[in-house]
Amino acid sequence: AASSLGARVRSDFKLLDQDIWEGKRLVYLDSAATSQKPASVVRAMTEHLERDNANVHRGAHSLATRSTASYESARDKVAAFVGAADRREIVFTRGATEAINLVANTWGVSELGAGDEVVLSVMEHHSNMVPWQQLAKSRGVILKYARLDALERLDLEHLRSLLGPRTRLVSIAHVSNTLGCVNPVKEIAALAHAVGAKLLVDACQSVPHMPIDVRELGCDFLVASGHKMCGPTGIGFLWGRLELLEAMPPWQGGGEMIDTVTLEGVTYALPPGRFEAGTPAITQAIGLGAACDYLRTIGMAEVQAYEHELAAHLHRGLSAIPGIRIYGPPVDVATDAAATHAHRAALCAFNIEGVHASDLATFLDQEGIAIRAGHHCTQPLHHQLGAAGSARASLYLYNTHDEIDALCVAIAETVDMLRMLEDV
Ligand code: PMP
């Protein structure tokens, strides 16, 4: 059953089996920043390095052939994991940030000009804001931001009102890394396409946690980072519709991305090679492929169902703490028909009256509990929420209900102690 998933997979994650201080068991609640890695992912990378390591593509020797096969097989695994129609639709990048920059600097630079409009939301991660702001500055592109509704979700009606004949792109997070809300991407795709715009989905916080099918979502681009989905750092991907990728100019120039080079000029390889200049992150891509295998074997519907339980438990537990303000929608809010709108992710960003988020995180670390404090790369959102920063607990498939209880007890004790210190 879903409710025992955390306990079942726990032993796959060796790192979790440690004391941070004597007698203080690690409680890792920072998976939205980066996830831990199961043994199968570590093993896949180690085995590659110990057995097959060589540069990929065009190598005539056996190791090069094996490395190429493993690297390209990782592409197949990612393609299947997100429901891509064609393996050539997966471009390996350093992470989601690089994938968004790639779209902005290729599709954006060739397609967008002065007066064209890009619609974002105020909840976007800096990596889905800054590349577009740079394009706005260099090309005269106009940015518009969809605001939050009263429940601190995306205001879909406001987003709709921002769309018009000059809208060329909507670029939006599937799940907010601060609010935890799940945005109705399917509806947004329909709205964007109705005005002739494309949709880019920042799926950093959704691909690791729920079944994703790019064709069902109806988006045009989707990006994610490997390290948040049980894979290593240094690898992520862009999925793009093949006809879009084929029409896009290259970004970085170098080896691997060419067809022919003469002293006079160059012709470019077809996608995805066109966008993978230089030696790629081979070992990391293989690790990401193994992460897809791992999650697929468990089943993403199972992961989603279990995390839904965790999300409810976390939200209820934290809500009981006096003076707490949790950002984002309530956990089981009855909403419109859109099922994707109906629940939130297993993460909560919050502040507690009179307590600095960073003090709280430091005190919790003394208990072995790892949470994040800061702006979580969503400064404009925090500004909207009237907070400089927040504390954030974010969960994954290996967390348990007991860990959430430990968090809530430790927070209550910390708050009591800090208040007592203040009274002295
Ligand atoms: N978008 C969202 C919603 C994120 O949570 C993150 C990572 N915090 C990113 C983009 C950027 O991912 P990366 O730093 O791995 O490129």
Side-chain angles (χ1 to χ4, degrees), residues 32-33 95-98 100 125 127 173 175 177 202 204-205 225 227-228:
T97 301
E98 190 177 70
I100 296 171
H125 189 279
S127 66
V175 173
N177 68 319
D202 171 359
C204 271
Q205 302 292 348
S225 281
H227 69 94
K228 295 180 200 281

Side-chain angles (χ1 to χ4, degrees), residues 74-84 87 90 212-213 292 296:
R75 194 188 310 279
D76 289 329
K77 290 172 185 181
V78 174
F81 196 72
V82 298
R87 64 187 311 281
I90 300 296
I212 294 291
D213 185 313
C292 291
R296 189 177 41 78

Side-chain angles (χ1 to χ4, degrees), residues 40-106:
S40 59
V41 167
V42 178
R43 199 179 328 117
M45 293 193 289
T46 307
E47 282 179 359
H48 166 74
L49 288 170
E50 289 181 347
R51 235 179 30 201
D52 302 332
N53 178 57
N55 210 333
V56 292
H57 302 143
R58 283 181 305 279
H61 61 80
S62 296
L63 293 188
T65 308
R66 277 194 238 151
S67 275
T68 303
S70 301
Y71 179 70
E72 291 303 331
S73 149
R75 194 188 310 279
D76 289 329
K77 290 172 185 181
V78 174
F81 196 72
V82 298
D86 192 304
R87 64 187 311 281
R88 294 171 293 172
E89 295 183 328
I90 300 296
V91 179
F92 282 125
T93 61
R94 209 154 53 75
T97 301
E98 190 177 70
I100 296 171
N101 277 276
L102 194 163
V103 176
N105 285 283
T106 57

Side-chain angles (χ1 to χ4, degrees), residues 314-329:
L314 175 69
H315 200 276
R316 279 192 213 111
L318 289 178
S319 299
I321 293 166
I324 199 165
R325 160 89 161 85
I326 303 172
Y327 302 105

